[in-house]
Amino acid sequence: MALSVFVGVLMAAILIGAPIAYALILCGVALMWLLGLFDGQIIAQNIINSAGSFPLLAIPLFIIAGEVMNSGGLSKRIIKLAITLVGHLRGGLGYVTIFAGVLLSSLSGSALADAASLTALLLPMMVLAGYNRDRSGGLIASVSVLGSIIPPSIGFVVLGVASGLSITKLFLAGIAPGLMIAAALVVAWWLMSRRNTDVELSPKASGKERLKALVDSFWALMLPVIIVVGLRFGVVTPTEAGAVASVYALLVSSCIYRELSLKSLNDLLLRAGKTTAAVMFLVAAASIPAWMITIADIPGQIIDLIQPVMDNPRLLIVVLMLLILVISMVMDLTPTVLLLAPILVPVVTAANIDPIYFGVLFMINCSIGLITPPVGTVLNVVCGIGRMRYEALLKGTFPFLIAEVIVLFLLVIFPELVTVPAQWFGH
């Protein structure tokens, strides 16, 4: 009964157009009424306690680091380095996009921030060189989702807080799958770019130009190194890594590159504040149904429903991946994580599946949802900045979407592709 009420109220709230945060609160209140536990003080207490969680402090810190990176010249130098290294190849600007996307993902932690940066900086350049606009936009959208997979991923922070999993372990376990997705995008772009014989190639950079670009981007490239090494050896927690990243990005942008003015600092802090407020309100709102999910034993009810596949971990993962994919197509990443993590992590734990492994697959699946209709948040960002039609961009995204789904399928079939690198990074 509790599961039916939970799903019914959530679907009804979404169908009438209620904001996701309010829909989550409504779900929690409905479950309270059902169980005879309604109390306004409980609602207020859950909201205040969840928003005051120390690990969540990493979210505004990484958001600030990403904004500083975009405004202070770090993104620009990383893209310039990528152009000098692979820009002269056939389809070179596509490889630049993937290479730059991986590096930006290791700096910002946000798929939306990466999509905005790459679209503004690279899409005009690709169109001018003769690349198909829709396909270029599709590649940018597809590589941008790595921002939610490669650490420091804000999505992993939310997942860790919602499920109780170690954020550090999630960060380190996301590195190898993120690079695999990048490699799959390289293969997909190579297969498609072989036919682009009329594309204007960038002149091959000399060794001196490459060295200059590498030296110029050195301070930007050091940021992901500091974060990953600090996490790997236990020097910093994810929250402390966010603080280090923010301060480091501010110092590099203002003192070394000298591209961050007081006015731009004020603007980026305002943008970061608005983004943080939206995310934190979602987290606070989700705390009410999350608490009631535990009280009503909804994970136990789901285990009873899927009991036939509980003895087959691989089949169970496939069923859960399909469920997550369907939900992530109609909901944004953060509410999907906040909604499903408290329910599904206990289920996979009961089935003796490594919850960190599941968490990585969960995040990849939700990230793919960012470039699938009807919501496709990253697609909307690329459309808005690149002034493109949604339908045309969706068509250009499709080959790369298939490549990412294939990687997800391989990770389901071969869990060692996640668990073995995760053990190496974590120990």
Side-chain angles (χ1 to χ4, degrees):
M1 183 62 179
L3 180 59
S4 301
V5 170
F6 177 79
V7 174
V9 172
L10 180 64
M11 291 297 101
I14 292 175
L15 287 174
I16 65 174
I20 295 297
Y22 295 110
L24 292 172
I25 293 174
L26 194 59
C27 285
V29 171
L31 287 173
M32 283 183 174
W33 277 111
L34 177 68
L35 300 177
L37 297 175
F38 181 77
D39 188 337
Q41 290 182 345
I42 295 177
I43 297 175
Q45 186 178 23
N46 273 280
I47 289 176
I48 293 171
N49 289 343
S50 63
S53 171
F54 179 72
L56 287 176
L57 186 59
I59 293 177
L61 292 172
F62 282 124
I63 289 174
I64 291 172
E67 292 286 352
V68 172
M69 175 194 72
N70 292 335
S71 301
L74 281 76
S75 301
K76 182 172 64 178
R77 283 167 173 81
I78 285 174
I79 290 175
K80 184 176 180 181
L81 172 65
I83 290 174
T84 61
L85 293 177
V86 295
H88 62 283
L89 302 175
R90 174 171 291 179
L93 286 179
Y95 301 125
V96 168
T97 300
I98 298 169
F99 183 73
V102 171
L103 291 177
L104 292 182
S105 297
S106 66
L107 296 174
S108 71
S110 168
L112 299 184
D114 291 351
S117 300
L118 292 172
T119 304
L121 295 171
L122 282 175
L123 185 60
M125 198 181 302
M126 296 179 78
V127 173
L128 189 63
Y131 291 84
N132 179 276
R133 187 182 191 88
D134 300 332
R135 189 174 299 161
S136 300
L139 178 64
I140 289 172
S142 302
V143 77
S144 297
V145 304
L146 293 176
S148 299
I149 301 168
I150 296 176
S153 161
I154 293 174
F156 276 140
V157 175
V158 176
L159 175 59
V161 171
S163 64
L165 298 177
S166 167
I167 298 173
T168 299
K169 289 182 178 179
L170 289 169
F171 273 7
L172 297 177
I175 296 174
L179 296 178
M180 292 177 202
I181 291 175
L185 293 176
V186 168
V187 173
W189 180 256
W190 175 76
L191 290 172
M192 297 169 62
S193 62
R194 289 185 304 169
R195 298 189 293 254
N196 291 346
T197 56
D198 57 342
V199 170
E200 179 183 335
L201 301 180
S202 301
K204 185 175 182 179
S206 65
K208 185 177 180 181
E209 289 173 328
R210 292 180 178 181
L211 180 61
K212 183 179 183 302
L214 179 61
V215 171
D216 197 30
S217 61
F218 171 79
W219 295 105
L221 294 173
M222 284 302 295
L223 182 52
V225 174
I226 291 171
I227 293 173
V228 173
V229 171
L231 292 172
R232 168 66 176 79
F233 293 100
V235 178
V236 294
T237 65
T239 304
E240 292 165 347
V244 171
S246 298
V247 173
Y248 180 86
L250 281 168
L251 289 175
V252 170
S253 299
S254 58
C255 300
I256 298 178
Y257 294 153
R258 297 184 180 181
E259 293 191 16
L260 188 64
S261 64
L262 285 176
K263 183 181 184 307
S264 59
L265 178 61
N266 179 70
D267 293 340
L268 73 87
L269 289 175
L270 183 61
R271 291 194 300 272
K274 290 180 178 178
T275 305
T276 301
V279 174
M280 294 301 290
F281 183 50
L282 273 172
V283 172
S287 66
I288 303 167
W291 182 71
M292 290 308 303
I293 283 167
T294 304
I295 298 297
D297 192 28
I298 289 180
Q301 296 177 39
I302 292 180
I303 289 174
D304 292 338
L305 287 174
I306 60 175
Q307 192 63 48
V309 297
M310 284 293 288
D311 295 332
N312 189 331
R314 201 156 292 171
L315 182 58
L316 175 61
I317 287 289
V318 170
V319 171
L320 295 181
M321 289 299 105
L322 291 174
L323 171 67
I324 295 167
L325 182 60
V326 170
I327 294 177
S328 64
M329 289 173 67
V330 297
M331 292 178 66
D332 201 3
L333 184 146
T334 301
T336 302
V337 172
L338 293 170
L339 178 68
L340 295 183
I343 299 175
L344 298 184
V345 170
V347 172
V348 298
T349 303
N352 295 317
I353 297 172
D354 183 353
I356 298 297
Y357 161 70
F358 173 74
V360 172
L361 296 189
F362 188 175
M363 189 53 57
I364 293 173
N365 210 332
C366 291
S367 300
I368 291 174
L370 294 172
I371 54 173
T372 56
V375 177
T377 314
V378 165
L379 293 179
N380 287 316
V381 171
V382 176
C383 282
I385 297 176
R387 298 181 180 179
M388 304 172 65
R389 291 189 303 110
Y390 188 90
E391 297 80 7
L393 177 60
L394 183 60
K395 183 178 179 181
T397 305
F398 186 74
F400 310 111
L401 177 62
I402 294 299
E404 294 181 350
V405 171
I406 290 173
V407 173
L408 178 60
F409 176 76
L410 291 175
L411 297 180
V412 170
I413 300 300
F414 305 106
E416 296 79 11
L417 293 173
V418 177
T419 57
V420 173
Q423 289 172 359
W424 186 87
F425 281 117
H427 296 286

